[in-house]
Amino acid sequence: MWYVIEGHDGDDVLAARMQARARHLERLVSLRDQGRLLLAGPCPRIDAEDPGPAGFSGSVVVAEFESLEAAREWADADPYVEAGVYVRVDVRPFRRVLP
């Protein structure tokens, strides 16, 4: 089943985000290579493709896992959680309709 994972950034975490980014992306690339990643990306804090020092308000991942528990375990092990970037992570089932 598909799950949407939404990580919510804390305040002033851009430096920590950038430091943990490579490890965060490695996990997403692994999901992609397994054919289990629908989409992933950050949410700019301002209305701009590159928010600069304003940073990001969080990230969204839609990926396939065997269960809600497995999706939560994967999300809890994210380097952004370990680095203190995310102050909250929501994991919900997702029903893909389009495309």
Side-chain angles (χ1 to χ4, degrees), residues 22-34:
R23 292 181 296 132
H24 171 79
L25 290 176
E26 284 175 14
R27 299 176 80 234
L28 293 171
V29 167
S30 177
L31 284 177
R32 181 201 64 195
D33 291 350
Q34 296 171 43

Side-chain angles (χ1 to χ4, degrees), residues 32-51:
R32 181 201 64 195
D33 291 350
Q34 296 171 43
R36 296 173 44 208
L37 182 66
L38 183 62
L39 65 87
C43 301
R45 200 172 286 276
I46 61 172
D47 189 14
E49 182 74 22
D50 179 358

Side-chain angles (χ1 to χ4, degrees), residues 58-90:
S59 302
V60 174
V61 173
V62 179
E64 190 174 36
F65 294 91
E66 62 188 47
S67 67
L68 180 57
E69 181 180 333
R72 285 184 175 142
E73 287 176 7
W74 187 89
D76 288 345
D78 194 289
Y80 284 171
V81 171
E82 179 184 324
V85 174
Y86 292 158
V87 294
R88 188 177 97 233
V89 178
D90 298 323

